[in-house]
């Protein structure tokens, strides 16, 4: 199945010069969604994670479905101020300014094998920060999975040396 054909490209969103990869059209296609999750699960099977962790908010959609398919629990990595008990947090650089991500300190037992999931890796700033946070919370990062990779931005340089699974490349 051609997953790329189900992803809508929106020029100049959210600002001029950005080609936005809109995954809502993939999510709305029952066969496409099932195929995307099944393919990700297949490619990640050997990593044998104990948990899948996904970044707010599109990482929640794919991450939760993937966790379900792989038979493991899901851990949300959230924007600041959303998680109700003690958190680890990390600040990271954006094009302009900084942002923050948080994870519950008790999200998983120390040494758990964690697979990180997001919809898309662009510059890799978000994924690099989330990878550090997963490790800060005592997890062993066993791999990273993205539906989409924007190759030219070389976001992988911000990730540790673990397997990286992607379904569609631009
Ligand atoms: P980055 O930190 O630059 O790798 O950006 C990754 C995050 O920004 C992902 O969670 C994406 O959801 C979002 N993002 C960045 N670039 C795009 C794009 N061209 N289309 C859709 N989402 C994007």
């Amino acid at each position: 199945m051609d997953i790329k054909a189900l992803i809508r490209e929106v020029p100049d969103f959210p600002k001029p010069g950005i080609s936005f990869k809109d995954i809502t059209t993939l999510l709305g296609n029952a066969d496409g969604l099932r195929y995307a999750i099944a393919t990700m699960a297949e490619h990640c099977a050997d990593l044998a994670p104990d948990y899948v962790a996904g970044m707010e908010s599109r990482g929640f959609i794919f991450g939760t479905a993937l966790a379900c398919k792989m038979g493991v629990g899901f851990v949300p990595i959230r924007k600041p101020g959303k998680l109700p008990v003690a958190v680890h947090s990390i600040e990271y650089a954006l094009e302009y300014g900084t942002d923050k991500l948080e994870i519950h300190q008790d999200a998983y037992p120390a040494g758990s094998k964690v697979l990180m999931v997001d919809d898309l890796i662009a510059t890799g700033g978000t994924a690099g920060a989330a990878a550090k946070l997963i490790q800060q919370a005592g997890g062993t990062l066993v791999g990273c999975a993205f539906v989409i990779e924007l190759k030219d931005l070389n976001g992988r340089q911000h990730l540790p040396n673990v397997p990286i699974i992607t379904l569609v490349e631009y």
Side-chain angles (χ1 to χ4, degrees):
M1 182 178 290
D2 186 0
I3 299 178
K4 201 176 201 170
L6 295 174
I7 296 167
R8 175 165 54 191
E9 283 192 77
V10 184
D12 299 319
F13 182 88
K15 54 185 183 183
I18 304 283
S19 167
F20 190 81
K21 309 299 182 275
D22 177 20
I23 48 95
T24 64
T25 42
L26 169 62
L27 295 175
N29 185 292
D31 290 338
L33 178 60
R34 197 180 318 112
Y35 180 80
I37 297 301
T39 306
M40 250 188 183
E42 213 174 281
H43 292 170
C44 294
D46 287 348
L47 304 176
D50 302 311
Y51 294 86
V52 170
M55 286 86 99
E56 187 165 353
S57 49
R58 278 167 277 165
F60 290 0
I61 301 170
F62 292 101
T64 308
L66 183 63
C68 245
K69 181 82 183 167
M70 298 187 81
V72 300
F74 177 76
V75 173
I77 295 178
R78 297 214 62 177
K79 291 173 180 159
K82 304 281 187 187
L83 292 169
V85 299
V87 295
H88 292 293
S89 68
I90 189 164
E91 198 170 83
Y92 61 100
L94 295 176
E95 196 180 350
Y96 302 105
T98 59
D99 213 341
K100 218 185 233 186
L101 286 174
E102 296 185 340
I103 192 170
H104 269 148
Q105 288 182 8
D106 65 355
Y108 36 75
S112 296
K113 294 192 284 173
V114 181
L115 169 65
M116 186 178 87
V117 175
D118 204 358
D119 66 325
L120 182 147
I121 180 165
T123 64
T126 309
K132 286 191 191 126
L133 203 52
I134 286 167
Q135 290 163 325
Q136 209 180 324
T140 301
L141 186 72
V142 292
C144 303
F146 304 93
V147 179
I148 302 164
E149 178 176 18
L150 305 186
K151 277 286 216 189
D152 288 351
L153 295 175
N154 194 23
R156 287 171 180 246
Q157 68 186 313
H158 296 291
L159 292 172
N161 188 24
V162 294
I164 298 168
I165 282 95
T166 61
L167 298 185
V168 175
E169 293 172 357
Y170 290 86

